[in-house]
Amino acid sequence: MGYVSELADRMKLFFDTEDGKKYIDEILSGKRTILINLDELEKWDANLSGAIINEAIKYGIKAFEEALKEASGASDVEVGFYGDCVPFVKVHEISSKHIGKMIKIRGLVNRTHFIKPMAVRVVFKCRECGIDTMPILQESPFALTPPFGKCEGCGISKPKYDVVEELSDYIDSQEFSIQEAYEDVSGRIPQRLRLIAHKKYLINKVYCGDLVEITGVVRLIPEYRRRSKSRFNTPYMEVHHVKKKSKDPESIEISKEEEEKIIELSRKPNIYSTLVRNVAPSLYGMENCKEASLLSLFGGVIKHRNDITVRGNIHVFFIGDPSTAKSQLLRAVAELSPRGMFSSGRGATAAGLTASLNRDENGEWIIEAGVLVLADKGVACIDEIDKMRKEDRVNIHEAMASQIVSINKAGIHSTLMARTAVVAAANPTLGNYDRSKSVFANLSDFPPALFSRFDLIFILIDKPKDEFDRKVAEHIANNDEVDETIDRELFKKYIAYAKRINPTISKEAKELLMEHFLSIRKRMSETWTEETTPITFRQFEALIRLCEAHARILLKDEADVEDAEDVIKIFNKFLSDISFDIGTLEGGPSKSSKEYAIKMIRSIILNKQTSDGVGYSAIIEEAIAKGISKPRAEKALKELINTSSIHLVSSDGTENYYRTSWF
Ligand SMILES: [Zn+2]
């Protein structure tokens, strides 16, 4: 202890300095939590701050606490440390040389536990004689340490002891863990680290999805082999300070020089198509998917109307044959997004895609965040989304529409932010995409109602091999002809820079979008029924978002007619790609045909549906009133269910209620 006292004596002098004195004043005015900025101590004596950083557990923190106690006269002050002088270490770089030292790490909170009382001073009762011990200070972070040697009452060596709860002192502690952010990982699997907080000011302060910079001390949890402590250990961090980092695009640093480069780039002719190609320059073709991804990377503007929030994020979906390069595209998009994440629908972890309440290895409840929460304010790229788990199928609607994930289970209610754009991909259920069937029938395992959450959907069909090979060869041969390749880091900054702009839409552009939207609706209603079809604004909102994103890509404060025209082009490509072929519906089948019955029933549901759907008997009744025979109507309804064009929303025991799956 000699060295600790010697250090403490030197540290005590710090409290006579101006920087140090303010901490004593805080304590004297009643504060019981003091956060020490180590940069101030470093300025006074770098050896002292060095002792706290490099010999944190052994001497540094003990000495500082002793010095503070002597200087202030208060013995119940909680001390935490932070500062620029604390070295930053990436989570995957933590090694044995960091044990017992103070470091700084960063990442996303991916798991939180509930608060647990932790024993600090424990009174033990001897089972032999019933005598209570003096309170024993517990220093080991995990194991309970009973008194050494003989019992003072009965003299028996190492008797069995019980804890006397009412005489012992406890503090709250909370465990959580973080996962490295995508930018620190560069293609590897993100590493995780356990963190334990037991300072009062840290309890219940972090939530799943938070982006944090944490200062703390690296410590070890022994691993057990054959029920005894082994030589192997798992590192964890004892937390001193948590700094929440902003996820806004403004938080990404852009130098003056980079800004100039970005603006110069934005003024190049054909910059839009250059950026589209640069989403994944090594992949041949897939122009529609690349353009959709680009629009999603930039996103539209979030709007608050009265008490409703309309999302600005653009969700896109690619359905395609197994050999098409969907995964490579998704990985490229995740890399470009300033807060991107890549995951498979199967989910690499128990958290799945959204969030879940699970029990950990000790049987305790934990909240775990999935990729939609971790990519909050970025893009979540989800491959094989059709393989997602049952819980995610329920939660993903809310995440995509309301941009939150709620947990309601086992009496626990929690809401996590998921202001995330989704770029998803799936393989057709039966291997290859069948153009003769609807998109719903091609993806029969996928919840039909989820289709309408996507702003753009594209289908990728594997081209005959010879033709494809020739095109790829051409692509490689002409590579030098393909206009410039944009540096990935600059592209990333370009996105962050553009996201600071919140473009409005000019009156003319808005009118053009509205006109286009109404014409689609009109053609739908002309084909399906004489009555007007109620207008769902979901698709209009999609057009607005896409238009805003388009203007952002060009760094424009206002989206104009040119933006609107481009957006209408890609929107039409999407409608025709999912076989929403307006042209073929024109003219219409004869009234007695099966096709007519199917279209009529669909339009009846479309007209009458509320969020609870339309009842079976009401649908059939209306169809009969429109001159369709009852058996034909029933058959048509069945067909619509089989092809997933409509889906069951509820049932009250006597009757089923249906809604359309699209529009
Ligand atoms: Zn005893």
Side-chain angles (χ1 to χ4, degrees):
M1 281 314 251
Y3 182 56
V4 172
S5 310
E6 191 194 306
L7 265 180
D9 282 345
R10 281 159 60 198
M11 284 174 179
K12 222 162 72 182
L13 299 173
F14 168 67
F15 298 110
D16 293 332
T17 68
E18 202 179 315
D19 282 334
K21 210 174 150 296
K22 69 168 185 280
Y23 296 116
I24 302 299
D25 291 343
E26 283 179 30
I27 294 169
L28 294 179
S29 70
K31 233 177 139 185
R32 283 298 170 263
T33 294
I34 300 294
L35 273 172
I36 307 289
N37 182 348
L38 281 175
D39 299 337
E40 294 166 357
L41 187 64
E42 192 196 31
K43 214 168 64 190
W44 164 249
D45 185 342
N47 288 322
L48 298 182
S49 57
I52 290 176
I53 291 166
N54 297 315
E55 302 169 311
I57 295 292
K58 251 184 178 163
Y59 314 111
I61 296 173
K62 275 192 206 113
F64 192 90
E65 284 172 346
E66 203 174 299
L68 185 70
K69 204 197 273 184
E70 281 182 36
S72 68
S75 60
D76 55 348
V77 178
E78 212 172 33
V79 189
F81 300 93
Y82 71 101
D84 292 338
C85 61
V86 179
F88 172 76
V89 179
K90 287 182 183 174
V91 172
H92 69 263
E93 287 168 354
I94 294 176
S95 66
S96 44
K97 72 174 183 213
H98 298 111
I99 298 162
K101 292 185 180 162
M102 186 170 285
I103 59 167
K104 219 159 39 194
I105 53 168
R106 67 172 170 224
L108 292 153
V109 177
N110 72 310
R111 190 194 239 209
T112 57
H113 294 237
F114 294 90
I115 300 169
K116 236 180 305 182
M118 184 175 88
V120 192
R121 266 173 298 271
V122 178
V123 171
F124 294 90
K125 187 188 275 299
C126 172
R127 280 196 194 168
E128 299 297 325
C129 65
I131 290 268
D132 289 349
T133 65
M134 295 288 284
I136 293 168
L137 185 68
Q138 298 295 312
E139 296 204 60
S140 160
F142 289 99
L144 192 66
T145 315
F148 291 112
K150 290 174 181 171
C151 166
E152 284 180 9
C154 59
I156 291 174
S157 167
K158 286 193 181 171
K160 289 241 163 75
Y161 287 107
D162 290 318
V163 171
V164 188
E165 264 169 39
E166 60 274 25
L167 297 176
S168 303
D169 293 332
Y170 295 86
I171 55 168
D172 286 335
S173 78
Q174 190 179 21
E175 194 179 324
F176 58 100
S177 68
I178 65 163
Q179 173 175 321
E180 282 178 287
Y182 208 87
E183 57 258 39
D184 287 339
V185 175
S186 53
R188 291 172 310 98
I189 294 168
Q191 295 272 309
R192 292 161 169 214
L193 184 70
R194 273 173 84 167
L195 297 116
I196 296 177
H198 36 68
K199 297 191 183 290
K200 260 190 224 103
Y201 57 88
L202 294 170
I203 301 298
N204 267 349
K205 285 292 178 328
V206 296
Y207 303 97
C208 276
D210 282 354
L211 181 65
V212 288
E213 183 184 279
I214 295 177
T215 307
V217 180
V218 179
R219 307 200 67 170
L220 299 174
I221 305 167
E223 285 176 15
Y224 281 76
R225 301 279 157 97
R226 295 200 194 98
R227 301 180 72 190
S228 57
K229 274 185 201 172
S230 75
R231 293 169 64 190
F232 300 100
N233 297 275
T234 309
Y236 76 96
M237 183 183 257
E238 200 172 271
V239 184
H240 273 260
H241 184 254
V242 175
K243 185 174 162 193
K244 290 199 191 185
K245 309 270 270 181
S246 164
K247 298 175 180 175
D248 291 329
E250 285 77 8
S251 66
I252 291 163
E253 226 174 276
I254 294 167
S255 69
K256 198 84 208 126
E257 200 191 333
E258 283 165 337
E259 186 179 349
E260 277 164 19
K261 273 191 198 163
I262 288 165
I263 291 169
E264 191 193 309
L265 199 57
S266 75
R267 288 182 182 150
K268 292 210 161 151
N270 303 324
I271 181 62
Y272 185 79
S273 49
T274 305
L275 288 173
V276 168
R277 268 194 298 278
N278 270 280
V279 167
S282 60
L283 298 182
Y284 161 73
M286 306 172 90
E287 283 84 7
N288 293 343
C289 295
K290 285 183 191 170
E291 185 175 353
S293 302
L294 184 76
L295 289 160
S296 181
L297 279 164
F298 284 79
V301 181
I302 188 165
K303 285 166 217 77
H304 305 279
R305 267 188 236 123
N306 302 323
D307 55 343
I308 335 166
T309 302
V310 181
R311 69 174 154 96
N313 284 321
I314 292 166
H315 304 317
V316 299
F317 192 14
F318 311 134
I319 305 155
D321 293 343
S323 54
T324 49
K326 299 187 300 291
S327 308
Q328 287 99 304
L329 176 61
L330 258 51
R331 279 184 196 278
V333 174
E335 251 173 54
L336 276 180
S337 168
R339 308 199 30 72
M341 283 272 164
F342 175 89
S343 174
S344 157
R346 296 172 200 269
T349 66
L353 294 178
T354 51
S356 59
L357 185 69
N358 296 318
R359 287 190 190 272
D360 74 353
E361 45 287 350
N362 300 318
E364 288 162 29
W365 285 113
I366 48 167
I367 293 176
E368 279 192 282
V371 67
L372 262 91
V373 172
L374 295 176
D376 179 35
K377 294 211 168 177
V379 178
C381 296
I382 306 167
D383 202 8
E384 299 188 88
I385 194 172
D386 49 315
K387 306 280 194 310
M388 69 184 153
R389 303 176 318 169
K390 228 166 68 199
E391 301 93 302
D392 286 328
R393 293 166 84 98
V394 177
N395 282 338
I396 199 162
H397 286 270
E398 185 189 31
M400 290 177 73
S402 316
Q403 306 264 274
I404 53 164
V405 174
S406 325
I407 293 171
N408 288 302
K409 190 174 154 188
I412 291 156
H413 307 283
S414 187
T415 303
L416 305 172
M417 301 306 265
R419 296 155 293 187
T420 313
V422 174
V423 176
N427 293 331
T429 312
L430 295 174
N432 288 320
Y433 198 88
D434 183 349
R435 276 281 187 201
S436 71
K437 289 194 180 124
S438 77
V439 65
F440 312 111
N442 267 290
L443 218 62
S444 54
D445 280 350
F446 194 71
L450 200 53
F451 281 102
S452 65
R453 297 281 178 231
F454 288 96
D455 299 285
L456 294 171
I457 300 174
F458 287 105
I459 292 154
L460 283 160
I461 295 203
D462 195 8
K463 302 255 165 54
K465 211 170 175 321
D466 294 348
E467 189 203 347
F468 186 74
D469 287 351
R470 188 173 54 79
K471 288 267 173 66
V472 171
E474 272 171 22
H475 176 67
I476 293 164
N478 296 339
N479 221 0
D480 42 4
E481 196 187 303
V482 172
D483 54 4
E484 84 191 279
T485 308
I486 299 167
D487 174 74
R488 305 297 276 176
E489 280 312 302
L490 182 66
F491 198 166
K492 227 168 147 164
K493 298 248 167 142
Y494 189 113
I495 294 168
Y497 184 81
K499 285 190 101 161
R500 297 175 182 180
I501 306 166
N502 288 319
T504 52
I505 298 186
S506 77
K507 200 169 154 273
E508 295 78 19
K510 209 176 245 171
E511 272 167 14
L512 190 64
L513 294 175
M514 181 56 107
E515 217 173 86
H516 181 70
F517 172 69
L518 290 176
S519 76
I520 299 169
R521 303 290 306 175
K522 190 156 170 282
R523 268 179 285 174
M524 273 176 65
S525 64
E526 273 170 3
T527 333
W528 287 340
T529 170
E530 293 87 330
E531 294 164 31
T532 38
T533 314
I535 289 163
T536 313
F537 275 88
R538 199 177 279 169
Q539 270 61 43
F540 183 61
E541 276 165 3
L543 279 168
I544 294 281
R545 273 194 286 275
L546 292 167
C547 193
E548 288 160 350
H550 195 280
R552 258 185 183 166
I553 294 168
L554 303 174
L555 308 185
K556 283 151 78 171
D557 291 320
E558 190 184 63
D560 54 29
V561 171
E562 276 173 44
D563 297 302
E565 279 170 349
D566 264 11
V567 156
I568 286 170
K569 264 184 227 154
I570 187 149
F571 200 73
N572 282 348
K573 279 186 206 158
F574 140 60
L575 288 180
S576 75
D577 215 23
I578 63 155
S579 300
F580 181 82
D581 197 343
I582 303 157
T584 59
L585 293 176
E586 270 164 21
S590 82
K591 277 207 169 191
S592 59
S593 72
K594 184 177 129 197
E595 287 71 31
Y596 180 79
I598 287 174
K599 284 186 180 121
M600 190 53 84
I601 297 237
R602 199 174 190 280
S603 112
I604 289 167
I605 298 170
L606 202 59
N607 275 310
K608 290 183 155 264
Q609 68 188 3
T610 64
S611 57
D612 298 326
V614 195
Y616 186 89
S617 53
I619 300 167
I620 301 295
E621 230 170 76
E622 179 97 13
I624 293 167
K626 288 196 185 296
I628 298 165
S629 72
K630 193 175 177 202
R632 175 130 278 171
E634 284 173 334
K635 230 174 165 176
L637 191 56
K638 206 179 254 168
E639 173 109 19
L640 282 165
I641 297 166
N642 288 342
T643 56
S644 304
S645 300
I646 62 169
H647 66 276
L648 185 68
V649 272
S650 59
S651 177
D652 60 9
T654 54
E655 191 160 56
N656 289 338
Y657 292 80
Y658 297 92
R659 261 184 77 87
T660 53
S661 301
W662 189 256
F663 279 84

